[in-house]
Amino acid sequence: MPLLPRILVAEDDPLAAEGIRRVLAQIPAEVELSFTPGEVKIRLVQSRFDLLVLDISFRDSEITGFDLLRESREALPALPVLMVSMFDGPELREEARTQGARGFVSKMAIGSALVAATRVVLAGGNSFPITPALRSTTLSVRQLQVSEELRQGLHEKEIAAKLGLSVSMVESHLKKAKKTVKARSLMQLVAIFVRRGYQLLPRNRGSTKEPGNPTG
């Protein structure tokens, strides 16, 4: 009898993690759960897995899913990683692909899409399914950056100087971010980021200016 693939799910929300476990039971597979970056690192050292299903965001942690992705690629280059996120946008997909992930699935389409992507990645392929209907709920990388700097206590002018943007561009990105997450004020936008743990990008990754636009 062939051995079932062993999958480690790295997800900080226990309910979401259990939901992913139940979905992956359709494959079938042996699925284990980890809830913190530190726990994920320990499990990867102690056991052999055929796939890491990795959430992009970890609340109450300075380490992001992208940080874990980079570290796992360096330590275990043969281990395929499938990223999951509550967001579904081209910027995050491209970041995941660039950092070495083998797939990306939105949590909004976590059922059949996750099963299909997992099967493809376990078979040695790549899977980055696009969910067009979810694009209206997506924050761009730049919106995530300026919102995170706001959460860190910087004002618009300070954010503009740090990221190399114009003040008006920072204000525009914050306005769009507020609209996307349905925040009525900048204070509420910060509260939502703190509550939902929206720090998604690697903290040690240098900011870059957007192509073709020197002011962002």
Side-chain angles (χ1 to χ4, degrees), residues 173-210:
H173 286 313
L174 289 173
K175 181 178 180 180
K176 291 176 182 177
K178 284 195 304 179
K179 182 177 180 181
T180 299
V181 301
K182 297 180 173 58
R184 292 186 295 273
S185 66
L186 292 180
M187 184 176 295
Q188 189 176 32
L189 176 63
V190 169
I192 290 173
F193 263 63
V194 171
R195 185 170 68 250
R196 298 183 186 177
Y198 277 2
Q199 171 59 33
L200 304 181
L201 300 174
R203 287 186 178 276
N204 59 354
R205 181 181 185 229
S207 62
T208 57
K209 297 180 184 299
E210 296 170 0

Side-chain angles (χ1 to χ4, degrees), residues 18 52 64 81 95 109-110 113 118 192 203 206 212:
E18 186 57 38
L52 172 61
T64 73
V81 180
E95 182 71 19
I110 207 68
T118 299
I192 290 173
R203 287 186 178 276

Side-chain angles (χ1 to χ4, degrees), residues 9 24 32 68 72 77-78 88 98 106 122 150 154 167 189 197:
V9 174
L24 292 178
E32 300 182 27
L68 282 178
S72 69
D88 187 6
T98 300
S106 167
L122 283 173
L150 183 74
L154 299 186
V167 175
L189 176 63

Side-chain angles (χ1 to χ4, degrees), residues 112-131:
S112 60
L114 177 61
V115 172
T118 299
R119 285 175 172 156
V120 169
V121 174
L122 283 173
N126 298 322
S127 182
F128 292 83
I130 298 175
T131 313

